[in-house]
Amino acid sequence: MTNPTKTRRRFTAQQRQEAVELCLSEGLSCTAVAQRLGLPNSSLAKWVRQARIDRGDFGPPEQGQLTSEERAELARLRKENRELRREKDFFRLAAAHFAKEQLPPRGFA
């Protein structure tokens, strides 16, 4: 369970990029760079892995390896899909409501 009083640290894109560059260009380990910069090792490892995927260091992308651009597009498409589903549900309910009003009263047919 997470600690509700502990705030989550945020890092800018520039901070992330500098930390990743130390790992990739200088050849330092994620653990060494994380300790030097006071970063969580797991966060830095994720950033480095994503940077390698973006650069194409892993060869052809495997299942689940999306570049940052692909991740952004996927998030945008999922949001658009959610909005379209909401609109569809709204119009379906509205059509059912108006169709109900158009029915003749029972017993008068």
Side-chain angles (χ1 to χ4, degrees):
M1 194 148 104
T2 60
N3 184 353
T5 60
K6 189 173 183 179
T7 59
R8 193 170 180 188
R9 289 176 56 192
R10 303 273 183 200
F11 301 98
T12 66
Q14 182 179 359
Q15 290 172 322
R16 291 179 185 194
Q17 184 62 33
E18 289 172 1
V20 167
E21 286 302 317
L22 281 174
C23 291
L24 296 179
S25 63
E26 301 292 324
L28 299 173
S29 70
C30 288
T31 305
V33 173
Q35 287 176 348
R36 182 189 297 180
L37 299 177
L39 301 170
N41 187 35
S42 60
S43 296
L44 182 57
K46 287 179 193 173
W47 301 342
V48 169
R49 183 173 188 276
Q50 187 61 49
R52 286 184 173 150
I53 291 171
D54 290 346
R55 290 180 178 185
D57 290 350
F58 290 132
E62 294 178 17
Q63 184 71 19
Q65 290 185 343
L66 301 176
T67 64
S68 295
E69 274 184 19
E70 292 168 332
R71 286 181 187 275
E73 182 181 10
L74 181 60
R76 182 188 62 77
L77 290 172
R78 284 181 174 165
K79 181 180 179 183
E80 181 180 341
N81 195 12
R82 255 190 329 271
E83 291 171 1
L84 290 171
R85 285 178 191 266
R86 283 188 196 129
E87 288 177 14
K88 178 193 72 146
D89 290 342
F90 171 79
F91 287 121
R92 183 179 50 81
L93 291 172
H97 175 73
F98 290 122
K100 188 177 177 182
E101 287 183 358
Q102 298 296 325
L103 292 176
R106 290 187 181 178
F108 291 102

